[in-house]
């Protein structure tokens, strides 16, 4: 991975695309289209990744050792031979955990500073999107 002097854990912050790809691979191997579908499902459509972003991110993640391409294939009769399957590596899992901790810390700061009287008074993403412009911008970062 590329070094980042600002990272407290030695792991650079991940882009949203890379973070969501890692999360999509936690449960096992997937091919590109399946990764895109899983991200859409996990985020309830709040984050949709296109093929260009997906494959650029995958290329960088392969180079950084966050994922590997899998040689084993499902039954050829059940699968398209052109598909490439990817698996999360231990460094990829560690990067996802570090990013989750970093984001949790950011949410804790936001809760403390923005909602000091009533921590997270809003109960849904829709309510967050409907509040002030400051919250509107934050909600996109937090979703």
């Amino acid at each position: 991975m590329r070094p980042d002097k600002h990272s407290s854990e030695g792991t650079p912050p991940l882009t949203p695309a890379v973070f969501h790809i890692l999360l999509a691979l936690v449960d096992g191997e997937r091919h590109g289209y399946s990764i895109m579908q899983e991200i859409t499902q996990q985020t309830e459509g709040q984050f949709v990744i296109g093929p260009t972003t997906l494959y650029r991110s995958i290329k960088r993640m392969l180079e950084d050792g966050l994922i590997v391409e899998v040689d084993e294939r499902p039954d050829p009769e059940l699968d398209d031979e052109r598909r490439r399957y990817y698996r999360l590596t231990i460094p990829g899992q560690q990067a996802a955990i570090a990013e989750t901790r970093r984001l949790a810390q950011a949410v804790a700061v936001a809760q403390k500073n923005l909602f000091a009287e009533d921590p997270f008074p809003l109960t849904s993403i829709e309510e967050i999107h409907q509040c002030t412009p400051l919250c509107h911008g934050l909600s996109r970062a937090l979703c």
Side-chain angles (χ1 to χ4, degrees):
M1 279 185 282
R2 295 166 184 94
D4 184 332
K5 64 181 179 182
H6 302 292
S7 175
S8 62
E9 294 187 35
T11 303
L14 303 175
T15 66
V18 168
F19 182 58
H20 284 288
I21 292 167
L22 292 174
L23 294 179
L25 292 172
V26 165
D27 290 334
E29 303 164 0
R30 292 184 180 275
H31 57 80
Y33 184 67
S34 176
I35 292 170
M36 292 189 320
Q37 290 178 312
E38 181 67 11
I39 290 169
T40 301
Q41 188 270 327
Q42 286 180 352
T43 64
E44 298 177 350
Q46 295 290 317
F47 188 82
V48 178
I49 188 171
T52 302
T53 300
L54 175 73
Y55 289 107
R56 281 185 184 160
S57 298
I58 284 175
K59 180 181 181 210
R60 188 172 61 251
M61 294 167 74
L62 287 166
E63 291 169 358
D64 290 345
L66 299 176
I67 61 173
V68 292
E69 189 172 335
V70 179
D71 292 329
E72 303 90 42
R73 311 286 304 181
D75 183 345
E77 292 184 22
L78 302 174
D79 189 45
D80 184 335
E81 66 206 33
R82 297 170 293 177
R83 287 183 177 156
R84 294 181 178 186
Y85 284 78
Y86 304 96
R87 178 186 307 142
L88 188 63
T89 62
I90 290 174
Q93 182 179 17
Q94 292 169 338
I97 290 168
E99 183 69 4
T100 300
R101 288 182 178 142
R102 188 185 71 74
L103 292 171
Q105 182 180 18
V107 169
V109 170
Q111 287 176 325
K112 178 182 173 193
N113 294 339
L114 296 172
F115 307 109
E117 300 288 319
D118 187 11
F120 254 144
L122 304 175
T123 59
S124 71
I125 296 300
E126 291 76 28
E127 287 179 303
I128 293 171
H129 285 295
Q130 293 171 4
C131 72
T132 67
L134 173 62
C135 289
H136 182 71
L138 283 174
S139 67
R140 295 209 185 276
L142 297 175
C143 297

